[in-house]
Amino acid sequence: MEQVGKKSINIFKYLPAGLLQESDKHNKWYGIPVLLQKLYDSSHPNSDLLQAHSFLKILSSRLSFEAMTCVTEDRKTAQESTFPNMYTFDLFGGVDVILYGTPDLVKDCLSVLYNCGICIEGVTKNLAARDDFVLFLFTLMTNKKTFLQTATLIEDILGVKKEMIPLEGIPNLSGLVQSFDQQQLANFCRILSVTISEPDAGNDDKHTLLAKNAHQKKTASPSRAEINQVTLLSIPGFIERLCKLATRKVSEATGLNFLQELEDWYTWLDNALVLDALMQMATEETEQSSTESSDESSLATSPLRHRLPQSMKIVHEIMYKVEVLYVLCVLLMGRQRNQVHKMLAEFRLIPGLNNLFDKLIWRKYTSSNHVVHGQNENCDCSPEISFKIQFLRLLQSFSDHHENKYLLLNSQELNELSAISMKANIPEVEALVNTDRSLVCDGKKGLLTRLLAVMKREPPDSSFRFWQARAVESFLRGATSYADQMFLLKRGLLEHILFCIIDSGCTSRDVLQSYFDLLGELMKFNIDAFKRFNKYVNTPEKFQAFLTQINSSLVDSNMLVRCIVLSLDRFESQTEDVKVVEVLSECSLLSYMARVENRLSFLFRLINIINVQTLTQENVSCLNTSLVILMLARRKAKLPFYLNALREKEYAEKYPGCMLNNFHNLLRFWQHHYLNKDKDSTCLENSSCIPFSYWKETVSVLLGLDRTSLCAIVRYIDEPFEDLDRDLLED
């Protein structure tokens, strides 16, 4: 490591050894400075490496013991008196001595650096600031004996490094990755996840769309994370190997490599708890096995080295798969999405996961009363829970607005979709016709059907429900497909969702929001779905309970409100259809939304709960739902009536101009935001079946400056109360 440890250790050059020893006794430095001096003196070229190694071993042993104490105790309360060896080591520039050391002592040097980073604040940050050292660490990963220690230290360093490292700067990255075995590649994914994920925006105000748009203007495009994604995808065979790792069975993993890795992990303290958990499971399995047949009992009591317990194998494999699925998920959401999709289909990722579903992914039901994690957040839950969440995230990213979503079905299920279209006398969706049948799921059930089955058995407040609903909803998103909806309706999904919303006692806002969104996609424009809704919600009490849930948080339920408004508008134009007329007259939900006072009530609240400064990716849908209500009113020449109703509402509540000024500013932001983003505009058009040109035109009409126009907001604001923030977006 001497090429990266350039700082001279002057204190050991010029301080007499006797004086150092005397000071050591007086100050209770526990012999650390003397050891560091001996290590420094014996680390020069042509020095006695055996001596250097013995000194380093003594240091490593002392520091490891203190690091273990640091991990098991509250690190915030750590003081010099708690870790005297570590603090003295730092005081005398121990880190620089280690960096100056010879490459032949790499393994112990890595151990010392890692332990220092655990106990002493700032050590890891200082290492992270040395770009040449960080890139040098990657070259050490070619050595299998030090791979795990190197990977763990790199992961810690990248976690605190201010700037994201350029993957193309790693010497011979392609050769390095291709030299890894599958276990090493899985561990390497932990490092890659930091280099390809966009940094978190930080505190709440940074998450507003206003701040994000401003940040995007200042940020170079493509970002460092996007460039790193391209670099990874250029490595031959990289995605194929990840697919094999993600889909391999536990029996295909090699036990000997795992045992060796356990021994390595034992010295790496942040993973000691994982090891303890694995060993505990092994003990439990051994105790359970001892009650079985004599042959099995003798096998169970054999030494761990000769028999790797199945439970340990499973958890170890799960830990690998979590990292791999995360990387695949990030790549699926990046700019190279279509390229990644093509490779994942070709390498049969989805059929492989389908084959693992019952035996590994959902082999048992796991309690999950933890918070719902965002896409880039680290999960501190068990490997089982992390694995399930990451699997569901992957399905969501895979299906969302992409024709490859039909790979989640098997051949029989694809035939069922074709039959539904034929019976309804509608053409098959082009994506379904173009699906390569050789790449779809095998077996009696496809992955989507298996997911529905476990979703129905999940406890009411389980946060798995959130991710399950998101994954199923992504299958429906995009241009509405009647056949896709009917496929899910026939499997009882609508009744399950309504049970969760009305009857299950579910109180989780995250879960309820995901179910509202899913229900909206499932029912949109589908008269059969509204008929089924009316059959389930068959009493005034049930209907009132449903409305109460919707009204309790419009930010959560507004997508469902939008679906009902859009569907009602379509059904009202299909009065020649007897079934439509029948459902229109009988369905409590459609009758409720048909009353103009109820639509106006939703409109008032949707506008009032947001403003430009508080708009986020989560609540901007409220603005779009209010726009849908007004666009449909405009189609029927009712827009002036709605705008006047907003004015009257303001005066009734003695806040003239408040709501309309706010709405005007929101629409100006809408123009600024959506007219520069192709994807968002496509999503709006697909989900509403309203051409985006009509969205733009309606917003322009509403923002018109002519006070004589009946469709301009400004007409309905009396001049003394006009407070249009002209400079808001520019600021």
Side-chain angles (χ1 to χ4, degrees):
M1 290 187 186
E2 58 187 336
Q3 64 265 49
V4 293
K6 295 176 181 176
K7 182 179 177 182
S8 61
I9 318 298
N10 292 324
I11 190 171
F12 299 122
K13 280 186 178 180
Y14 305 116
L15 195 63
L19 179 59
L20 196 61
Q21 288 177 349
E22 192 61 36
S23 300
D24 190 329
K25 292 176 185 177
H26 183 264
N27 292 291
K28 296 183 179 179
W29 286 333
Y30 306 98
I32 296 295
V34 176
L35 274 172
L36 281 172
Q37 185 177 49
K38 290 178 178 178
L39 177 61
Y40 174 77
D41 291 340
S42 58
S43 296
H44 297 289
N46 305 318
S47 298
D48 186 348
L49 287 183
L50 285 177
Q51 263 198 333
H53 191 236
S54 67
F55 299 141
L56 187 58
K57 275 286 185 186
I58 296 169
L59 273 172
S60 179
S61 175
R62 290 193 190 180
L63 300 182
S64 293
F65 180 79
E66 289 189 357
M68 185 175 294
T69 307
C70 186
V71 169
T72 54
E73 294 181 3
D74 185 0
R75 185 172 177 173
K76 292 179 182 177
T77 62
Q79 298 174 352
E80 183 176 343
S81 58
T82 316
F83 311 117
N85 288 320
M86 196 68 77
Y87 277 88
T88 306
F89 179 85
D90 184 50
L91 179 67
F92 280 86
V95 170
D96 285 309
V97 175
I98 295 299
L99 292 178
Y100 182 82
T102 174
D104 297 286
L105 307 176
V106 162
K107 188 169 183 178
D108 288 306
C109 287
L110 290 169
S111 177
V112 170
L113 291 176
Y114 178 77
N115 288 330
C116 286
I118 289 177
C119 291
I120 304 173
E121 187 135 5
V123 167
T124 308
K125 284 185 179 179
N126 290 337
L127 292 175
R130 306 180 185 215
D131 290 338
D132 53 348
F133 174 68
V134 175
L135 293 177
F136 168 73
L137 279 178
F138 281 92
T139 66
L140 299 181
M141 298 183 85
T142 55
N143 185 340
K144 291 198 173 187
K145 290 183 179 179
T146 60
F147 172 86
L148 199 62
Q149 289 89 335
T150 309
T152 310
L153 183 57
I154 292 174
E155 187 186 347
D156 277 8
I157 288 174
L158 296 187
V160 299
K161 191 169 175 60
K162 289 182 178 179
E163 305 85 18
M164 190 176 288
I165 67 160
L167 287 181
E168 69 269 22
I170 298 172
N172 190 22
L173 175 66
S174 179
L176 178 69
V177 172
Q178 288 174 305
S179 73
F180 293 153
D181 60 31
Q182 290 295 75
Q183 276 78 4
Q184 289 175 318
L185 183 59
N187 278 311
F188 191 57
C189 283
R190 289 179 65 91
I191 293 170
L192 293 180
S193 65
V194 182
T195 67
I196 61 175
S197 304
E198 296 293 351
D200 189 18
N203 50 29
D204 289 339
D205 63 332
K206 292 282 182 68
H207 291 296
T208 64
L209 295 182
L210 203 60
K212 281 186 176 180
N213 288 349
H215 178 71
Q216 284 172 356
K217 279 185 179 180
K218 297 175 185 176
T219 308
S221 185
S223 68
R224 168 50 56 197
E226 289 169 336
I227 295 171
N228 283 345
Q229 290 175 23
V230 173
T231 301
L232 275 186
L233 290 172
S234 68
I235 298 175
F238 176 70
I239 295 294
E240 182 177 11
R241 290 186 68 191
L242 289 194
C243 288
K244 286 180 178 177
L245 258 173
T247 59
R248 75 177 180 183
K249 298 173 182 175
V250 178
S251 58
E252 295 169 355
T254 54
L256 289 177
N257 286 352
F258 171 53
L259 284 172
Q260 178 59 50
E261 206 165 287
L262 275 183
E263 291 181 0
D264 288 340
W265 278 125
Y266 188 74
T267 63
W268 293 82
L269 302 173
D270 64 340
N271 292 285
L273 298 178
V274 174
L275 179 61
D276 290 344
L278 292 173
M279 296 302 291
Q280 184 178 354
M281 281 189 292
T283 305
E284 289 170 356
E285 186 171 319
T286 302
E287 289 171 355
Q288 183 180 353
S289 300
S290 64
T291 62
E292 296 167 2
S293 70
S294 56
D295 289 342
E296 290 171 335
S297 179
S298 62
L299 182 66
T301 53
S302 62
L304 179 62
R305 280 199 167 275
H306 302 131
R307 188 189 74 89
L308 183 62
Q310 183 70 3
S311 56
M312 293 177 74
K313 271 189 179 181
I314 290 172
V315 174
H316 194 243
E317 187 64 19
I318 283 173
M319 289 165 69
Y320 280 154
K321 285 176 167 34
V322 169
E323 310 303 338
V324 172
L325 292 184
Y326 181 83
V327 169
L328 290 176
C329 196
V330 173
L331 293 174
L332 263 178
M333 296 188 298
R335 291 195 180 193
Q336 317 302 316
R337 186 185 188 210
N338 288 332
Q339 178 190 353
V340 176
H341 246 293
K342 185 178 179 182
M343 290 191 280
L344 297 187
E346 179 188 346
F347 301 131
R348 294 178 56 82
L349 174 70
I350 297 301
L353 291 175
N354 187 46
N355 292 335
L356 288 179
F357 190 87
D358 290 330
K359 292 183 178 178
L360 185 65
I361 300 173
W362 234 274
R363 66 194 180 96
K364 65 180 181 179
Y365 288 87
T366 316
S367 173
S368 66
N369 297 320
H370 56 283
V371 268
V372 178
H373 296 280
Q375 182 65 38
N376 289 331
E377 289 184 61
N378 293 322
C379 180
D380 58 358
C381 35
S382 74
E384 291 267 3
I385 291 174
S386 300
F387 184 38
K388 287 178 179 178
I389 291 175
Q390 205 54 61
F391 164 75
L392 294 169
R393 281 176 173 169
L394 180 78
L395 289 195
Q396 179 188 358
S397 304
F398 188 86
S399 302
D400 195 20
H401 291 88
H402 203 282
E403 59 186 20
N404 274 355
K405 69 180 186 177
Y406 290 111
L407 298 183
L408 269 65
L409 309 182
N410 65 18
S411 292
Q412 292 82 0
E413 291 163 347
L414 292 177
N415 292 338
E416 184 181 337
L417 286 179
S418 301
I420 291 170
S421 298
M422 188 179 296
K423 184 179 178 181
N425 198 27
I426 56 176
E428 286 186 76
V429 177
E430 187 179 353
L432 175 62
V433 176
N434 295 336
T435 298
D436 186 342
R437 297 288 181 113
S438 69
L439 301 177
V440 302
C441 292
D442 312 304
K444 295 179 180 178
K445 293 179 182 178
L447 199 47
L448 181 63
T449 307
R450 293 183 192 277
L451 177 57
L452 287 175
V454 298
M455 185 176 175
K456 290 179 182 179
R457 296 199 293 266
E458 206 64 46
D461 277 319
S462 163
S463 63
F464 288 141
R465 279 187 181 272
F466 171 86
W467 293 108
Q468 290 163 343
R470 283 282 177 258
V472 177
E473 183 209 347
S474 69
F475 180 80
L476 291 171
R477 290 181 70 186
T480 303
S481 165
Y482 174 80
D484 292 355
Q485 291 172 324
M486 292 307 299
F487 179 84
L488 296 173
L489 286 169
K490 288 168 68 175
R491 284 157 175 78
L493 180 59
L494 183 135
E495 289 78 9
H496 164 70
I497 296 171
L498 291 175
F499 171 79
C500 182
I501 293 173
I502 300 171
D503 299 315
S504 71
C506 176
T507 56
S508 165
R509 294 313 316 172
D510 292 309
V511 172
L512 286 170
Q513 181 186 13
S514 66
Y515 270 62
F516 283 133
D517 290 349
L518 175 54
L519 188 61
E521 292 295 337
L522 187 62
M523 295 181 69
K524 193 190 302 173
F525 306 131
N526 191 310
I527 198 68
D528 297 285
F530 281 88
K531 190 172 184 178
R532 281 175 175 255
F533 175 94
N534 216 44
K535 187 175 180 181
Y536 186 92
V537 186
N538 54 7
T539 66
E541 292 76 20
K542 274 193 170 184
F543 185 64
Q544 191 54 51
F546 182 73
L547 284 181
T548 300
Q549 289 282 46
I550 285 182
N551 289 320
S552 64
S553 177
L554 269 184
V555 172
D556 297 331
S557 62
N558 82 88
M559 294 297 288
L560 175 59
V561 172
R562 192 190 307 182
C563 145
I564 302 165
V565 170
L566 285 165
S567 300
L568 174 65
D569 184 74
R570 168 141 345 155
F571 297 153
E572 287 177 339
S573 68
Q574 299 174 334
T575 49
E576 73 285 350
D577 188 318
V578 177
K579 182 165 72 170
V580 171
V581 173
E582 178 189 340
V583 176
L584 270 174
S585 64
E586 293 178 356
C587 180
S588 53
L589 190 57
L590 292 172
S591 299
Y592 181 84
M593 197 60 77
R595 293 196 284 276
V596 68
E597 64 270 22
N598 292 330
R599 290 202 297 279
L600 281 171
S601 174
F602 280 122
L603 181 63
F604 297 153
R605 285 179 290 152
L606 286 167
I607 295 173
N608 273 333
I609 58 181
I610 50 174
N611 59 58
V612 173
Q613 289 89 349
T614 60
L615 274 182
T616 64
Q617 200 63 50
E618 182 183 13
N619 64 26
V620 71
S621 56
C622 293
L623 174 57
N624 289 322
T625 298
S626 64
L627 255 179
V628 165
I629 293 173
L630 292 176
M631 281 190 293
L632 298 181
R634 181 175 171 234
R635 276 183 177 176
K636 296 178 179 179
K638 295 280 183 68
L639 186 53
F641 171 80
Y642 277 75
L643 293 176
N644 192 58
L646 289 173
R647 170 187 160 86
E648 289 179 358
K649 179 74 170 174
E650 287 180 334
Y651 272 88
E653 297 188 356
K654 296 182 172 53
Y655 289 106
C658 181
M659 197 185 316
L660 287 169
N661 278 313
N662 181 45
F663 191 46
H664 193 280
N665 290 329
L666 284 165
L667 292 180
R668 288 179 60 238
F669 175 83
W670 187 95
Q671 283 185 324
H672 183 78
H673 182 72
Y674 282 103
L675 300 188
N676 295 311
K677 299 183 83 176
D678 295 334
K679 184 185 175 187
D680 281 341
S681 62
T682 305
C683 291
L684 289 177
E685 186 169 329
N686 286 341
S687 65
S688 64
C689 289
I690 298 174
F692 189 63
S693 57
Y694 195 75
W695 286 77
K696 291 191 292 184
E697 188 182 304
T698 302
V699 172
S700 294
V701 167
L702 287 165
L703 292 178
L705 299 176
D706 183 2
R707 282 187 165 273
T708 64
S709 169
L710 293 173
C711 294
I713 291 174
V714 70
R715 176 188 175 88
Y716 300 89
I717 308 175
D718 293 337
E719 286 193 45
F721 306 114
E722 187 177 317
D723 184 28
L724 307 180
D725 195 345
R726 302 291 180 191
D727 299 323
L728 176 67
L729 301 181
E730 287 74 10
D731 291 345

